[in-house]
Structures are given as C-alpha cells and as structure tokens.
Amino acid sequence: KQEVTQIPAALSVPEGENLVLNCSFTDSAIYNLQWFRQDPGKGLTSLLLIQSSQREQTSGRLNASLDKSSGRSTLYIAASQPGDSATYLCAVKALSGGGADGLTFGKGTHLIIQP
Amino acid sequence: EAEVAQSPRYKITEKSQAVAFWCDPISGHATLYWYRQILGQGPELLVQFQDESVVDDSQLPKDRFSAERLKGVDSTLKIQPAELGDSAMYLCASRQRISAQETQYFGPGTRLLVL
C-alpha cells in the first residue's frame, strides 16, 4: 500500500525567506505527483502537477521536483510572503488498472510566514 | 471559472442520525471522487465514479456509508447511522474524462460534526 510522508509537519519562517517542503512515497510506480494548497477550513487548490516522466515543474515562485526512483519530491518556495501561509499537501496517483486513480495524500506541512 | 459545488458547507448531527452530502461537479467532468479528511490528516479516497458507475469503493465503510451518482452528473454521499468518528471534512472532486493527466478539481467541502 502506497504511503506518503511529508516533512516537516509544521514550519514557521520570516517573510522573504526561501524554503523547501519535502515529500516521500514508498511505491515508485506512480503516474504523477501533485502539490496542493489548503487554507483553513477550505478545499484544495492544485499548485503543481509533475508527470512521472518529468523531473520538475515551475509556477511563479514555486518549483517542484520529482525523483521517482528514490521516492522523493520537494516543493521550493522562493521569497516567501505572508499570503503563502497555508497547509501544503503532497499527493501521488498510482499506476493501476480498471480506471481507479484516486490520490494518496500525505498529512501535509502547516506553513506560517511571519510578517 | 467553473467550480465544484458542495452542500451543505457545515453539518452538525447527533450520533445514530442519518446525514447526506451533495456534490455537483464541473460541467462535463465524467469522473467524480469523494474524499474524507480527518482534522490534521490528508484526504483519503472513499469512492470514485466514472459517469454513473462506481470505479473504486474499496475504502468506503459500506455498513454505514453509501454513494450514488444516478444520472452521471451530481452525486450524494450518505451516512446512516452517523458515529462520533465520522466527524471530518468531506471533499468532492472531479476531472475530465479525456485526460487522466489533468488535475482533480476540489470543492469547498462539507464539514461534519457528530455529537
């Protein structure tokens, strides 16, 4: 059974710092990996999606990398801002038959950016 | 921009009562998912539909939970009877049929509190 682990569970940094969130998964047979953002009491917003054949994806100040063979992904946030404060979730989609493609999520990293 | 709609947004009920949640996916999205997110955890897949058919309900507690998508559009998730441990956020997501590479779009969720 696929397991996704995110480290750290919580992180608090001053505004303007660059930071890295880590995600690891136990089964490298994945279709893709996604990073989501979740604000308190809200749904999930997709930030970046990396296909299994890709190494990284970038969107603005966000960069996500994927090393499928080692079962790791990182989310790099440059020049952090207070508005980046949220919980960041990593999720993998497994290669499976029958069309089942639900995501397996980590527990998330709760990020606070101090003004 | 089209969004996944869910109602109610909040529900408080007593244990042993029945509750139902409704989801309306983005128009044209053939695949629909229900996830449960316990506080402090990542979402866990309960059930996946392709049109009106169930693709994966392996994690759905079938003794008390049921889900349907009769016309292949909107969906209802029911719990009967509710238990204290069912308190969680229930998230609905959808994606287009055409590309499995596309992200899932999440609704705002229904927060359930069982007393």
Side-chain angles (χ1 to χ4, degrees):
Chain A
K1 179 183 176 183
Q2 177 77 268
E3 293 185 2
V4 179
T5 303
Q6 291 188 245
I7 295 174
L11 182 63
S12 180
V13 301
E15 179 179 4
E17 284 199 5
N18 303 324
L19 57 98
V20 175
L21 308 182
N22 297 288
C23 172
S24 62
F25 46 95
T26 55
D27 187 346
S28 61
I30 64 169
Y31 191 81
N32 61 40
L33 181 145
Q34 283 188 260
W35 284 92
F36 289 87
R37 169 184 174 138
Q38 186 173 32
D39 292 290
K42 301 293 180 63
L44 279 64
T45 301
S46 179
L47 298 173
L48 291 164
L49 185 153
I50 310 176
Q51 300 299 337
S52 61
S53 58
Q54 298 176 321
R55 296 285 293 182
E56 65 177 334
Q57 283 285 340
T58 298
S59 176
R61 296 182 293 107
L62 305 180
N63 176 276
S65 67
L66 173 63
D67 185 342
K68 196 174 74 165
S69 61
S70 67
R72 296 179 188 176
S73 176
T74 61
L75 178 66
Y76 175 82
I77 302 177
S80 59
Q81 302 171 357
D84 295 331
S85 298
T87 296
Y88 291 79
L89 293 157
C90 171
V92 298
K93 178 185 286 191
L95 290 169
S96 61
D101 65 351
L103 299 174
T104 300
F105 285 84
K107 293 183 179 181
T109 293
H110 182 55
L111 176 64
I112 297 175
I113 307 299
Q114 306 157 11
Chain B
E1 181 176 315
E3 297 180 341
V4 176
Q6 289 189 248
S7 67
R9 293 293 309 278
Y10 305 93
K11 180 69 176 179
I12 300 175
T13 190
E14 294 183 346
K15 66 178 182 178
S16 80
Q17 296 297 305
V19 293
F21 314 130
W22 177 79
C23 171
D24 191 11
I26 293 173
S27 178
H29 282 198
T31 309
L32 183 148
Y33 311 81
W34 283 100
Y35 290 86
R36 176 172 62 183
Q37 185 178 25
I38 296 170
L39 191 63
Q41 306 289 316
E44 294 180 312
L45 179 71
L46 292 175
V47 61
Q48 176 186 347
F49 288 93
Q50 182 69 32
D51 299 308
E52 67 276 7
S53 300
V54 173
V55 174
D56 183 3
D57 63 356
S58 58
Q59 301 303 310
L60 188 71
K62 299 181 185 64
D63 57 335
R64 297 183 301 107
F65 286 64
S66 64
E68 61 182 16
R69 194 183 184 199
L70 295 177
K71 297 182 179 180
V73 180
D74 58 337
S75 176
T76 302
L77 179 69
K78 298 179 181 178
I79 308 175
Q80 182 173 15
E83 296 181 352
L84 297 178
D86 296 331
S87 295
M89 175 80 90
Y90 291 82
L91 295 162
C92 179
S94 69
R95 70 163 177 82
Q96 291 182 335
R97 178 207 307 271
I98 295 174
S99 171
Q101 296 177 4
E102 186 178 330
T103 186
Q104 298 176 17
Y105 295 87
F106 282 80
T110 295
R111 181 167 294 282
L112 172 67
L113 178 61
V114 182
L115 302 176

